[in-house]
Amino acid sequence: MANTNKGRKVYFCTTPQPANLDQSQFEALTWIEVGNVGSVGESGVNTNVVSYDELATDMTQKQKGISNAGDPTIECARNPTDAGQVALRAAAITKFFYAFKFEDLDAPDGNHTNTVYYNRGLVAGPTRPNGRNEDFILEVYTLGLVQREIVVNPQSLVAPANALLPSIAGVLTQGSVLTAVPGRWSGEPSFAYQWKRDGTNISGATGLTYTLVAGDAAKAISVAVTGTNGAGNATATSAATANIT
């Protein structure tokens, strides 16, 4: 479903972040919302396209060059006491790198989060457009972003639940490859696997497939599937196969 920018929120972390962060590190930070935001400028990666012509060139050769993480602006109706704006003003007079979070209002339903964008960079400004008597007093900050943007699409708020048990596909003879079929789940989880021999975990057998070995002879094989999302996890185990031949 398409959405507008209405309801988008901007957050700032006041603790300098000198190195690139991954999603879990961004999520662990403490955020302050920036109030009275009217617009956010263009963000995302812009990569130079470099070209080179030789004397014999018929069609220009091209390759990707250096990428820029972006320099979006944040326009605010000036509020002297808003905690987020106060923090941006303080950051703007430093040379430190800070973390930023932008959150859309686009959850598809009450069981999902909104889309979130994370990045890190400098704060410059503010500039003031000024204007006529009915123009709002504005401050505009420029964010000099320095790492590749992390986009977190809407995530389920409901822990996974298994609705149809996992199963196993393949021929039950030594040397054959068995494949785990996860079954049916709610909560849009990602899956992890643990293969079992007569109900006991097989060391190192944690992939989608498992190749039967001599030690499986006359034993039954099953697979435990664990579904995980941001709200939790659950495990369901397939029925055991007939004995391996």
Side-chain angles (χ1 to χ4, degrees), residues 165-168 172 178 196-199 219-223 237-244:
L165 286 176
S167 57
I168 295 173
L172 303 179
L178 302 182
K196 298 174 179 286
R197 180 187 298 119
D198 280 351
K219 304 291 177 61
I221 300 297
S222 58
V223 63
T237 302
S238 71
T241 66
N243 286 351
I244 306 302

Side-chain angles (χ1 to χ4, degrees), residues 92-123:
I93 61 176
T94 76
K95 294 183 178 181
F96 303 142
F97 297 104
Y98 297 89
F100 310 98
K101 177 174 78 169
F102 305 90
E103 182 177 355
D104 292 337
L105 184 61
D106 67 342
D109 54 49
N111 292 328
H112 286 77
T113 61
N114 297 312
T115 299
V116 175
Y117 310 80
Y118 293 110
N119 216 317
R120 187 179 64 87
L122 303 166
V123 181

Side-chain angles (χ1 to χ4, degrees), residues 64-151:
K64 289 183 176 180
I66 297 171
S67 295
N68 186 339
D71 303 287
T73 56
I74 298 178
E75 179 191 283
C76 306
R78 189 177 193 277
N79 183 338
T81 60
D82 175 76
Q85 291 190 30
V86 170
L88 285 178
R89 292 183 198 112
I93 61 176
T94 76
K95 294 183 178 181
F96 303 142
F97 297 104
Y98 297 89
F100 310 98
K101 177 174 78 169
F102 305 90
E103 182 177 355
D104 292 337
L105 184 61
D106 67 342
D109 54 49
N111 292 328
H112 286 77
T113 61
N114 297 312
T115 299
V116 175
Y117 310 80
Y118 293 110
N119 216 317
R120 187 179 64 87
L122 303 166
V123 181
T127 60
R128 298 182 183 84
N130 298 318
R132 299 180 62 84
N133 64 346
E134 289 191 341
D135 292 328
F136 278 86
I137 299 172
L138 304 178
E139 289 188 336
V140 181
Y141 298 86
T142 299
L143 310 183
L145 304 179
V146 294
Q147 77 167 74
R148 191 170 293 273
E149 181 180 66
I150 295 175
V151 181

Side-chain angles (χ1 to χ4, degrees), residues 197-218:
R197 180 187 298 119
D198 280 351
T200 300
N201 289 350
I202 302 172
S203 178
T206 56
L208 177 65
T209 62
Y210 173 67
T211 302
L212 294 169
V213 298
D216 297 320

